[in-house]
Amino acid sequence: MDKLNTGARYDTILLDIRMPGMSGTELYAHIIEKMPVLKGKIIIVTGDVMGADIKDFLAKNNLPYLAKPFDIKLLKEKINEIIGSGQSAN
């Protein structure tokens, strides 16, 4: 959030669900509230895709996700999908 608040621009953000201090779901809400242009540019990274709350969050927000551990090739594919969709900030 600090970087976004200083005006940093990103084509894609990787966001973990479980983080100390603030959950990924809370941070996602803050990011979208402050910078709605980033909607559709966030990839969720999680080791918990089976929990009902996480499934609901992903579905409600139509978010792509990567289950840990993930293959770097899959990460590159997800990033290319976002950038190639015309949603790139640059």
Side-chain angles (χ1 to χ4, degrees):
M1 273 314 292
D2 291 342
K3 293 281 188 186
L4 292 172
N5 288 335
T6 63
R9 292 179 47 165
Y10 296 94
D11 291 321
T12 304
I13 294 176
L14 299 177
L15 181 59
D16 202 330
I17 290 290
R18 307 279 184 232
M19 300 182 299
M22 178 183 288
S23 74
T25 57
E26 292 170 316
L27 183 54
Y28 176 80
H30 285 292
I31 291 170
I32 297 307
E33 179 182 324
K34 299 261 184 198
M35 310 252 340
V37 70
L38 291 174
K39 189 170 186 160
K41 298 179 184 184
I42 297 173
I43 300 170
I44 299 297
V45 178
T46 183
D48 179 14
V49 293
M50 300 312 289
D53 58 334
I54 302 303
K55 281 184 177 181
D56 289 345
F57 169 74
L58 295 171
K60 176 183 171 192
N61 293 288
N62 194 30
L63 292 168
Y65 70 89
L66 293 168
K68 292 188 236 175
F70 55 85
D71 185 290
I72 192 72
K73 182 179 176 185
L74 185 56
L75 172 60
K76 289 177 182 179
E77 288 173 6
K78 296 271 187 198
I79 291 171
N80 286 333
E81 286 173 15
I82 290 172
I83 292 173
S85 72
Q87 296 177 8
S88 173
N90 296 326

